Amino acid sequence: MFHTFRSVVFETWDAWSGLFSELPYGDPYISGVVLFFIVATTCKLVSEGKI
């Protein structure tokens, strides 16, 4: 079970960071920053009751 979950997480991260691979330093730095901002914005909107 752990290895299946780990595999899914790694494959998802590879797909996400692959979107930014054409940018300089895009994989994984920019993809990590963008993911952080998406999570932070979603948490803010959920806490305010807008979603």
Side-chain angles (χ1 to χ4, degrees), residues 1 24 30 44:
M1 181 71 175
I30 294 175
K44 184 175 182 344

Side-chain angles (χ1 to χ4, degrees), residues 5 10 23 26 29 32 36 38 43-45:
F5 178 72
F10 283 159
L23 299 172
Y29 301 113
F36 172 77
I38 289 172
C43 289
K44 184 175 182 344
L45 291 173

Side-chain angles (χ1 to χ4, degrees), residues 32-43:
V33 170
V34 170
L35 185 61
F36 172 77
F37 281 114
I38 289 172
V39 169
T41 302
T42 303
C43 289

Side-chain angles (χ1 to χ4, degrees), residues 2-43:
F2 171 75
H3 294 293
T4 304
F5 178 72
R6 180 178 168 246
S7 168
V8 168
V9 169
F10 283 159
E11 290 175 12
T12 305
W13 178 254
D14 286 342
W16 173 255
S17 62
L19 295 173
F20 301 94
S21 64
E22 299 298 321
L23 299 172
Y25 303 108
D27 178 27
Y29 301 113
I30 294 175
S31 59
V33 170
V34 170
L35 185 61
F36 172 77
F37 281 114
I38 289 172
V39 169
T41 302
T42 303
C43 289

